[in-house]
Amino acid sequence: DLGHHSCEGSYLIAATWLEAYLGINPVGNTYTANLPAATVAALQDCAVKVAEEGLELPEKDTSLTIDGEKYDLVSKDKSYSVVGSIYDGKWTDAADNGLPLGKRTDGNFAAAGDETSIGCWSDTTGTGTTSITIDLEEVFKLKAFKADLWGGTWGIPSPEGSSVSIDVSTDGKSFTSLGEASFEDLDASGEWKGKLFTLILEEEVDARYVKFTYTLTDGNKKFCWSSESAVYGTATEQ
């Protein structure tokens, strides 16, 4: 259903917990969850290997290639400020001190609207406008920008008709508009609708600060339901 583990996945998790947290070796355990014996044996062995040796995942390639040139995700793990109100729930992007948790620059685009990688901020003005400003910490040559929006018909506003505009600055005070991003539909399950907004510049622009402004047009304009605000570029010449 695109939301829950398979039986095999659940079995692997349980076997790993058994070894990692309780110190009980799952190999040879007679409980099979109605899975084939060979599958059970492989999952038990895998759980022991991971619990005892750890698991090193390859670093995810978050770069973007445009016309044969590679651009890094320069917004990865960068801090940002938000013009919007805190959303209270598991899709919040705010810590107890009110500062952003960092969901919007962790490099992970959600594959569905109900994923908790979504970092929501809400608008209480009724205008449907929310913005985040990312501090890249240094000036980069910027080439492209991406952002997603998810919604539906039950309270989270549909992304249909919404827009995302981009502004940049070198000092965080004076911003230049780069225009609105184009969009394409994202694959979505159930009642969820998703759109990916993309702006690719013909010429690179030097900037340190990038502001994404989301303007919602659905009847309920309150919640800006998005998982990532991505900026791609290269280092400036030293």
Side-chain angles (χ1 to χ4, degrees):
D1 64 1
L2 302 179
H4 296 81
H5 309 114
S6 64
C7 183
E8 291 85 351
S10 296
Y11 191 95
L12 177 60
I13 292 170
T16 304
W17 285 353
L18 195 65
E19 171 75 18
Y21 295 111
L22 299 179
I24 299 174
N25 193 317
V27 174
N29 192 296
T30 58
Y31 177 70
T32 67
N34 296 319
L35 293 170
T39 299
V40 169
L43 294 174
Q44 291 175 349
D45 288 340
C46 184
V48 171
K49 181 177 177 63
V50 170
E52 293 183 352
E53 301 178 12
L55 179 64
E56 293 187 8
L57 296 174
E59 186 174 347
K60 181 181 178 182
D61 184 5
T62 56
S63 64
L64 182 66
T65 300
I66 303 172
D67 296 330
E69 186 167 350
K70 186 175 182 179
Y71 294 91
D72 296 325
L73 180 62
V74 295
S75 56
K76 180 78 163 60
D77 296 327
K78 297 300 195 300
S79 62
Y80 51 91
S81 59
V82 180
V83 177
S85 300
I86 294 172
Y87 177 85
D88 186 17
K90 61 182 179 180
W91 292 281
T92 187
D93 185 36
D96 291 340
N97 60 6
L99 296 176
L101 288 172
K103 288 183 178 182
R104 302 288 279 272
T105 57
D106 61 5
N108 295 313
F109 279 90
D114 57 357
E115 290 187 7
T116 53
S117 59
I118 299 287
C120 176
W121 292 85
S122 60
D123 165 48
T124 57
T125 66
T127 63
T129 301
T130 303
S131 69
I132 77 165
T133 301
I134 304 171
D135 180 359
L136 301 176
E137 299 177 1
E138 61 180 285
V139 174
F140 287 92
K141 289 188 174 298
L142 306 183
K143 179 66 174 179
F145 312 83
K146 288 181 178 289
D148 60 350
L149 269 176
W150 295 89
T153 58
W154 58 93
I156 308 303
S158 169
E160 296 291 344
S162 297
S163 64
V164 177
S165 60
I166 311 294
D167 296 82
V168 296
S169 170
T170 56
D171 60 8
K173 299 176 182 178
S174 177
F175 281 81
T176 299
S177 173
L178 298 181
E180 289 189 2
S182 60
F183 59 85
E184 59 184 292
D185 291 333
L186 290 168
D187 291 335
S189 61
E191 296 180 316
W192 285 103
K193 294 181 179 179
K195 289 191 180 295
L196 178 65
F197 292 81
T198 303
L199 176 63
I200 299 177
L201 304 177
E202 291 187 7
E203 300 289 338
E204 299 167 2
V205 60
D206 289 354
R208 169 174 170 170
Y209 300 89
V210 180
K211 179 166 66 174
F212 289 75
T213 301
Y214 301 78
T215 303
L216 309 177
T217 58
D218 189 35
N220 174 16
K221 304 175 183 178
K222 188 173 183 181
F223 301 116
C224 181
W225 208 254
S226 175
S227 70
E228 193 71 12
S229 303
V231 182
Y232 300 88
T234 58
T236 56
E237 295 180 1
Q238 299 299 319

